[in-house]
Amino acid sequence: QVQLVESGGGSVQAGGSLRLSCAASGYTYNMYSMAWFRQAPGKEREGVAVIVSDGSTTYADSVKGRYTVSRDNGRNMLYLQMNSLKPEDTAMYYCAAERGYITDRARLQRNWYAYWGQGTQVTVSS
């Protein structure tokens, strides 16, 4: 089993920054893809940023240039640095992981991920 625990959420004003962390434990060996998703009230859960085992990253268009995803395999940690935050970034943010290969076109699709955290809330006020 794999457990994912997010932290670092909070409330900030527009233009501010936050750094989310995700701690992975359990059988984390050879996890190919680790990702951040978010879900705002009344909306579908959407992929935000993904990093795979070779370090390649994929971002949603809405966060490109503002968010940076990184991972520390030695510590089993995933991070999301969020800058220039906007009110529309307000959502519950989830960490997700998948051991199997995912094509680059599919990496932001939630259906491919087997493991999920409980989420951390990010609220951006104008």
Side-chain angles (χ1 to χ4, degrees):
Q1 270 293 2
V2 175
Q3 294 80 41
L4 303 174
V5 178
E6 304 93 338
S7 62
S11 297
V12 295
Q13 290 191 327
S17 298
L18 282 174
R19 188 192 194 209
L20 305 184
S21 299
C22 172
S25 61
Y27 186 60
T28 59
Y29 178 75
N30 203 27
M31 200 64 72
Y32 176 75
S33 178
M34 297 195 75
W36 290 97
F37 287 75
R38 68 185 181 186
Q39 188 167 16
K43 294 189 176 182
E44 293 288 320
R45 190 172 298 188
E46 62 174 355
V48 173
V50 179
I51 183 166
V52 298
S53 55
D54 68 0
S56 299
T57 56
T58 305
Y59 295 93
D61 289 343
S62 58
V63 305
K64 281 181 181 176
R66 301 188 298 121
Y67 287 16
T68 303
V69 61
S70 60
R71 64 195 281 181
D72 183 336
N73 292 326
R75 297 184 177 184
N76 292 324
M77 294 292 295
L78 177 71
Y79 304 99
L80 184 67
Q81 178 67 43
M82 305 184 295
N83 299 327
S84 302
L85 283 162
K86 304 174 181 180
E88 51 264 43
D89 295 319
T90 295
M92 185 72 78
Y93 282 70
Y94 298 91
C95 173
E98 170 56 41
R99 188 166 285 109
Y101 175 77
I102 307 173
T103 64
D104 54 2
R105 290 188 177 185
R107 287 170 190 166
L108 288 175
Q109 297 174 17
R110 60 177 295 186
N111 294 343
W112 294 100
Y113 291 83
Y115 306 105
W116 291 86
Q118 294 300 306
T120 185
Q121 178 67 38
V122 172
T123 303
V124 184
S125 58
S126 58

